[in-house]
Amino acid sequence: MYKNIDNNSSTTMFEMYSSSDRFLRPDMVDVPAQQAAGSTLPLVLTRKKGGGDDTEDVNYNPFEHRKIEHPTSDVETFVHLLKGSLGSGILAMPMAFLNAGLWFGLVATFLVGAVCTYCVHILVKCAHILCRRRKIPMMGFADVAEQAFLDGPTSLQRWSRFIRFIVNCFLVIDLIGCCCIYLVFVGTNVKQVVDFYTQESELSIRLWIVIVTCPLLFMCLIRNLKFLAPFSMVANLLMFVGIIITFTYIFTDLPSTEGRVGVADVTQWPLFFGTVIFALEGIGVVMSLENDMKNPAHFIGCPSVLNLGMGVVVSLYTLVGFFGYLKYGAETKGSITLNLPVEDKLAQSVKLMIAIAIFFTFTLQFYVPISIIWKGIQHKIAPEKQNMTEYGIRILLVLLCGAIAVALPNLGPFISLIGAVCLSTLGMIVPSIIELAVYYEDPGYGRGKWRLWKNAFLIAFGFIGFFTGTYVSILEFHDEFNGSH
């Protein structure tokens, strides 16, 4: 899920090509420095319109100009896609089915999964088109958004920097939100196990979140991903073993479907939508995976790495959601691990294994937003103050995550809120707007302007999910606070 960025690399695209103001600004290069420096062509900002030799755009193949030290094969990219998408969200899928109903959730999860996958197709396809137009070997998510607006109608071009800012903001908010959810998840699971053995001195969930946050203050001062790699390996192993054992509990003595709600009340659907979007949406890592591929053309299409990977992901999430809700019914909690019998030693080990895995994953998840933030402000800080400033920002960001988690220690609405706010925007609304901008002049919106209507539907669907999911999640938090007073 995370790209191995060499922090010691000091050569940037901007430094190599700063002799002309036609080249992109340094903040427009979202790919790792060593990849950008290995490109055979500069990143050109302007595109000829209304004239010129368009055959150059057609003949330029961005994939041939990518110089990647260790390109990934189709199989490796498939594995990375699974790793990036199969996170803690899978443990929340039974709760999603609780808010949808057994049968509606079954159908709706596949539909939402198909829409998410299609929107990823849109983003990557538009990235390929823009790479050919601009003669750029590769782009990041924010690059694609900005360049698309520059290619769109005049009214959009003035907003090109703004859409870039919006994409980066929502990426940061999404990832910080995930870090907050991780703190709540770890604190809740550890509390459940410890409380079983120390019933006379139960600590509140908020205090447990504070306890979990303290060691992370030191771990998140590690700036090189290479030193975090061992933690990633341990986290992957623990998560895999924990989920396998969880499956054994779910599939033991399954009840009949007759005792479960088939279609939940429509007022609960926004919570379902937000949770599923949070669980499924891996659009933030898509461009990184595609940029690293040996054969990028294999990422989209039919069949493709993306279709196969998302097919497996959606199937697994649906499996866990369906049978998890079937097993625990109305008692289903924000994470399926919280439903495992706390008196069972094996179940206790699962709760702790997955809690440790999520704890280690926090440092990796934290690396991405701090990189985006630091990249945006680094040039404003005096060189002699940069080290201390970066460490200070890292500590403040961890404290912010801890404060948010302490304020909102309820997994269900929290997960739905992040899914509705951030991933509806990044996963549906932004890719649809990007396609409208890219196709505006050439080749157009098609017969009957079908691309316009199709993207209008996706944008509307994304906004409905955004507002309803946010509204219902806030109501849930409001009810929780009122009940606690």
Side-chain angles (χ1 to χ4, degrees):
M1 179 176 179
Y2 305 94
K3 299 175 69 62
N4 292 322
I5 303 175
D6 183 5
N7 287 334
N8 297 321
S9 176
S10 59
T11 304
T12 67
M13 178 73 69
F14 183 66
E15 291 168 345
M16 293 183 65
Y17 300 112
S18 59
S19 60
S20 171
D21 60 5
R22 293 183 301 110
F23 301 138
L24 293 178
R25 301 176 304 278
D27 64 313
M28 294 181 69
V29 182
D30 283 345
V31 295
Q34 69 269 27
Q35 290 187 4
S39 168
T40 58
L41 290 175
L43 303 188
V44 182
L45 178 60
T46 58
R47 175 194 172 208
K48 295 178 182 178
K49 287 191 175 185
D53 185 5
D54 290 338
T55 58
E56 291 183 358
D57 289 347
V58 175
N59 293 331
Y60 176 77
N61 185 351
F63 308 148
E64 294 177 353
H65 296 278
R66 294 184 181 181
K67 301 296 182 181
I68 305 171
E69 186 177 353
H70 301 292
T72 56
S73 66
D74 291 358
V75 174
E76 289 170 333
T77 304
F78 175 80
V79 172
H80 288 318
L81 181 61
L82 293 183
K83 181 183 175 183
S85 300
L86 288 173
S88 59
I90 193 172
L91 303 173
M93 282 305 297
M95 181 191 64
F97 273 67
L98 171 66
N99 290 310
L102 197 63
W103 303 115
F104 178 72
L106 184 65
V107 175
T109 301
F110 277 107
L111 289 176
V112 173
V115 171
C116 290
T117 305
Y118 179 71
C119 289
V120 174
H121 271 274
I122 291 175
L123 177 65
V124 178
K125 187 175 181 180
C126 289
H128 291 173
I129 293 173
L130 290 169
C131 282
R132 289 188 178 93
R133 290 179 181 175
R134 303 283 183 181
K135 300 186 176 52
I136 300 175
M138 61 181 72
M139 291 187 186
F141 194 167
D143 293 331
V144 176
E146 182 173 18
Q147 295 295 325
F149 270 46
L150 289 171
D151 264 21
T154 306
S155 57
L156 281 185
Q157 292 173 12
R158 70 183 67 178
W159 299 99
S160 60
R161 292 301 302 271
F162 179 72
I163 190 64
R164 178 185 188 83
F165 174 76
I166 289 296
V167 168
N168 279 330
C169 277
F170 275 102
L171 280 172
V172 169
I173 294 171
D174 168 38
L175 295 167
I176 292 296
C178 289
C179 288
C180 298
I181 290 170
Y182 288 173
L183 290 176
V184 176
F185 181 93
V186 174
T188 305
N189 279 271
V190 172
K191 169 180 165 58
Q192 198 179 63
V193 174
V194 174
D195 284 355
F196 177 74
Y197 292 100
T198 58
Q199 296 180 0
E200 295 181 359
S201 58
E202 293 184 0
L203 300 178
S204 69
I205 178 59
R206 288 183 167 88
L207 187 54
W208 272 112
I209 292 173
V210 172
I211 293 172
V212 169
T213 303
C214 289
L216 289 173
L217 286 169
F218 300 97
M219 291 184 65
C220 287
L221 295 179
I222 300 174
R223 295 190 293 182
N224 198 318
L225 274 179
K226 180 173 64 176
F227 299 119
L228 297 176
F231 296 110
S232 177
M233 293 176 61
V234 172
N236 291 335
L237 179 62
L238 292 175
M239 179 67 79
F240 177 76
V241 174
I243 289 178
I244 293 298
I245 297 175
T246 301
F247 279 166
T248 64
Y249 281 97
I250 291 176
F251 290 113
T252 302
D253 300 325
L254 277 173
S256 168
T257 58
E258 296 177 358
R260 301 292 177 251
V261 176
V263 179
D265 189 274
V266 69
T267 57
Q268 295 178 263
W269 291 3
L271 287 174
F272 162 80
F273 175 82
T275 304
V276 173
I277 290 291
F278 172 84
L280 287 176
E281 194 57 73
I283 200 164
V285 303
V286 165
M287 293 312 302
S288 296
L289 295 178
E290 188 270 345
N291 285 339
D292 270 347
M293 286 187 71
K294 182 179 181 180
N295 299 301
H298 296 174
F299 191 74
I300 58 174
C302 189
S304 65
V305 173
L306 177 63
N307 286 345
L308 292 174
M310 289 304 294
V312 172
V313 169
V314 173
S315 299
L316 283 175
Y317 276 51
T318 305
L319 183 73
V320 174
F322 182 89
F323 288 103
Y325 173 58
L326 178 62
K327 172 74 173 181
Y328 297 108
E331 301 300 317
T332 302
K333 297 182 179 180
S335 168
I336 192 64
T337 57
L338 298 175
N339 283 106
L340 303 183
V342 70
E343 69 279 359
D344 192 326
K345 292 290 194 296
L346 183 61
Q348 292 174 8
S349 70
V350 171
K351 296 173 192 288
L352 293 178
M353 276 192 294
I354 295 183
I356 293 171
I358 297 297
F359 178 85
F360 286 152
T361 304
F362 181 100
T363 57
L364 292 167
Q365 190 84 346
F366 182 83
Y367 185 92
V368 182
I370 193 65
S371 297
I372 295 174
I373 293 172
W374 182 241
K375 184 178 180 180
I377 66 172
Q378 183 178 11
H379 64 282
K380 300 178 181 178
I381 309 297
E384 65 274 10
K385 297 181 180 179
Q386 286 190 357
N387 278 337
M388 290 305 299
T389 303
E390 184 180 355
Y391 284 131
I393 292 173
R394 285 173 175 269
I395 291 172
L396 287 175
L397 211 54
V398 175
L399 291 175
L400 175 64
C401 291
I404 295 173
V406 167
L408 307 172
N410 189 337
L411 270 175
F414 205 161
I415 290 174
S416 179
L417 181 63
I418 295 299
V421 171
C422 299
L423 297 171
S424 291
T425 305
L426 295 176
M428 293 184 185
I429 298 172
V430 172
S432 301
I433 295 175
I434 286 174
E435 187 180 44
L436 289 176
V438 170
Y439 280 76
Y440 170 73
E441 184 177 279
D442 179 27
Y445 295 149
R447 181 174 296 180
K449 296 187 176 181
W450 67 270
R451 286 193 181 93
L452 175 63
W453 298 111
K454 177 259 297 183
N455 285 305
F457 169 78
L458 290 174
I459 293 170
F461 185 64
F463 272 115
I464 290 172
F466 181 106
F467 289 112
T468 59
T470 302
Y471 177 72
V472 173
S473 298
I474 291 174
L475 285 182
E476 291 274 321
F477 284 125
H478 181 264
D479 292 342
E480 178 189 354
F481 283 126
N482 284 345
S484 63
H485 293 311

